[in-house]
Amino acid sequence: MIYKTRTESAELLMLKSLGVRMELPEKDKLHYLSLQKGYDGEVMFDSFTEKLQSECLILNDLLFKINNTVFQIDSLIITAAVIHFYEVKNFEGDYYYESERLYTRSKTEINNPLTQLNRGVSLFRQLLQSLGINMKIDPSVVFINPAFTLYQTPLDKPFIFPTQLNRHLNGIDKTSAKLSTKHKQLAAQLVSLHCTDSPYKQIPSYTFEGLRKGMLCFKCASFSLAVEGHNCVCGECGYVEKVGEAVMRSVKEFRLLFPGEKITTGVIYEWCGIVESKERIRKILGKNYKKVGVRQWSYFE
């Protein structure tokens, strides 16, 4: 049972939005691509775990803070006797393992995912101890990409490769017992302790004036939308969406990028760009938010 679903982080959503509204610096482009690839790998992993038939609780995408230290967990699977702890990597290409280090085929050393795994498990164990929980933790690094090869893999490392993942999850299905109330209480506690936003986001500086205005297509993220009656129609992919829904998506994007700014008719009219009148924007905002103030001082919350 999926107890906590996975969603794109605020950092990834912000970079995705900024990537089409401004020219990202090269380091931020690379960071965005890395985040996106990591998220895609985690979603791929989810497509396997969601098929589990046994009694278990699956918690995805967790962010915790303990002793002033923030750490992230890709996925947990709580079973009756064991908490399975997963670090998911979407590496692609040929790598080799040597002297506790991981290298690309071109002999470039990369961060050993075991280091991240061990750090996360240690901090998670401390978190469980603070909750008075004493359960076995079974940690693994999952290499999810089928186009990944690791040469010289030591047999004693907690690595799971694409060809082994189904067998690993089948093992969970075969050995899991019935969950008790304490397992569900633990899952609820962990979700309540989850931090919704990371303090370590890497976002380039930007301003409202410096960003390209306009509504993005929900399907292809292009600026090719045009208002046709009650609908927005994408000239790029043909996707059709109600104008009100498209405007509210744009408001959500604006709030993500400018959390301290007030939602006003004028600002959202400028942000959307293609809606023909402020009055239409005002009506859409009025249906979805509470209006505060009057005349030029009014805003929506």
Side-chain angles (χ1 to χ4, degrees), residues 215-216 225 232 241-251 272:
M215 292 196 294
L216 300 172
L225 289 184
C232 285
E241 184 179 21
K242 295 294 184 182
V243 173
E245 294 173 1
V247 168
M248 291 311 299
R249 271 197 308 104
S250 296
V251 172
C272 292

Side-chain angles (χ1 to χ4, degrees), residues 281-297:
I281 293 290
R282 185 180 293 109
K283 287 181 179 179
I284 293 170
L285 293 176
K287 287 181 180 178
N288 293 276
Y289 294 109
K290 177 184 176 183
K291 185 179 178 182
V292 178
V294 294
R295 298 186 178 89
Q296 66 265 40
W297 296 284

